[in-house]
Amino acid sequence: MTDLPEGPAGLHQRVLTWYDDHARVLPWREPDASPWAVMVSEFMLQQTPVARVLPVFAAWMDTWPTPAGLAAASTGDAVRAWGRLGYPRRALRLHGAATAIVTEHGGEVPSSLEELRALPGVGDYTAAAVASFAFGQRHVVLDTNVRRVLARSLTGVEFPGASVTRAERDLATGLLPDDEPTAATWAVAVMELGALVCTAATPRCGSCPVSDLCAWQRAGMPAYDGPPRRGQAWAGTDRQCRGRLLGVLRDAHEPVHRSRLEAVWSDAVQRSRCLDSLVHDGLVARLSADTYALP
DNA sequence: AAACCGTGGTG
DNA sequence: TCACCAAGGTT
């Protein structure tokens, strides 16, 4: 399975010790951080770097310290508070999750993987992360950092594949410490190693606690030779157009006339399509034939 | 299953 | 400079 000279225990020990010495101090990792705080952080961290999440997270928790608080707010307030974190549909999903927590779970963030997974915006990763980080449970927490660490250290390739495979999940499962609290710490520790040392672009192998037993390292750090990892186009796309349109509404605190939306995107066909999609998504409200606002 | 969904920092 | 990338989820 893992083909480790010392067995998994050696790997655990090294990574856990490294984490003890190098873990970042983050608000959602404080001992008094609530499950709700952990959940909010996980939503915000989906595809958004820690540095940009920190200030928005602080303001968000100050405004809505509980799920009930957010559920009582309008979705428009949530979208505005989301600021420029990107992927604003996450703000709607977090609002939806808060609403479901109030109506179906008595206002308390549920602790079971199945109940978490059923909330809007919560997929396999986020459900496992909240169950593990907030409730100390033993689960495979497989994010992009963990996948990269396992790909390199155990599989011996520079990058993991496009999607999580059964073999990958089995590998991570076999690596999970038996003890529940240790498994929870292991989950966050491997993730942190991927975030700080085993990074995508320029890994700091000289500072890595497992570099001497890393399969990729021992193979001579062979360059990635899998299928091209396509980046996402941006200039001129609907995503850019939607971002511009929503930005106007987010920065305005009164309904906006369509002329102000026309001013930020010249292609009328695309602009109209994007505005319709924003309304369809619930990110924008059409107040009249020619005025718009956040919902 | 592949495409889509924002934004800004970085080497 | 400009691809690449960042604690994914949904369809």
Side-chain angles (χ1 to χ4, degrees), chain A residues 1-14 174-177 186:
Chain A
M1 178 194 37
T2 56
D3 192 31
L4 289 168
E6 311 170 37
L11 187 68
H12 293 158
Q13 186 53 50
R14 294 196 200 188
L175 229 46
L176 213 51
W186 163 255

Side-chain angles (χ1 to χ4, degrees), chain A residues 36-140:
Chain A
W36 171 241
V38 173
M39 173 171 282
V40 169
S41 76
E42 289 304 334
F43 269 77
M44 292 185 173
L45 289 165
Q46 291 169 0
Q47 299 287 283
T48 303
V50 168
R52 282 176 39 214
V53 164
L54 285 170
V56 180
F57 172 84
W60 190 283
M61 294 306 296
D62 193 51
T63 306
W64 300 303
T66 65
L70 178 59
S74 69
T75 55
D77 283 346
V79 171
R80 180 170 283 113
W82 195 257
R84 305 184 65 79
L85 287 182
Y87 292 144
R89 290 191 292 190
R90 289 182 293 165
L92 296 181
R93 293 178 185 142
L94 182 51
H95 185 278
T99 301
I101 287 169
V102 168
T103 61
E104 297 171 29
H105 302 287
E108 299 294 326
V109 175
S111 61
S112 82
L113 207 58
E114 295 69 26
E115 290 173 313
L116 287 165
R117 185 65 177 78
L119 297 171
V122 177
D124 289 337
Y125 162 75
T126 301
V130 173
S132 181
F133 305 157
F135 297 106
Q137 296 170 16
R138 181 178 180 274
H139 296 293
V140 170

Side-chain angles (χ1 to χ4, degrees), chain A residues 219-292:
Chain A
M221 301 175 73
Y224 176 79
D225 74 340
R229 302 182 300 147
R230 59 163 81 63
Q232 299 174 328
W234 174 245
T237 61
D238 282 8
R239 293 163 69 201
Q240 184 185 29
C241 180
R242 284 165 55 105
R244 288 260 188 92
L245 296 173
L246 193 62
V248 171
L249 301 178
R250 189 171 52 224
D251 296 340
H253 286 262
E254 291 184 349
V256 163
H257 190 265
R258 59 177 169 75
S259 59
R260 295 193 42 203
L261 299 176
E262 292 165 2
V264 300
W265 200 265
S266 57
D267 183 335
V269 172
Q270 185 176 26
R271 186 181 62 237
S272 175
R273 177 175 70 238
C274 289
L275 203 45
D276 286 347
S277 74
L278 286 167
V279 171
H280 179 265
D281 288 348
L283 284 165
V284 168
R286 194 191 311 268
L287 302 184
S288 72
D290 51 12
T291 59
Y292 298 84

Side-chain angles (χ1 to χ4, degrees), chain A residues 2-5 11 149-158 210-222:
Chain A
T2 56
D3 192 31
L4 289 168
L11 187 68
V149 171
L150 299 187
R152 288 177 181 166
S153 63
L154 300 178
T155 310
V157 297
E158 187 176 14
V210 301
S211 63
D212 60 317
L213 49 74
C214 173
W216 183 54
Q217 188 70 215
R218 290 193 295 191
M221 301 175 73

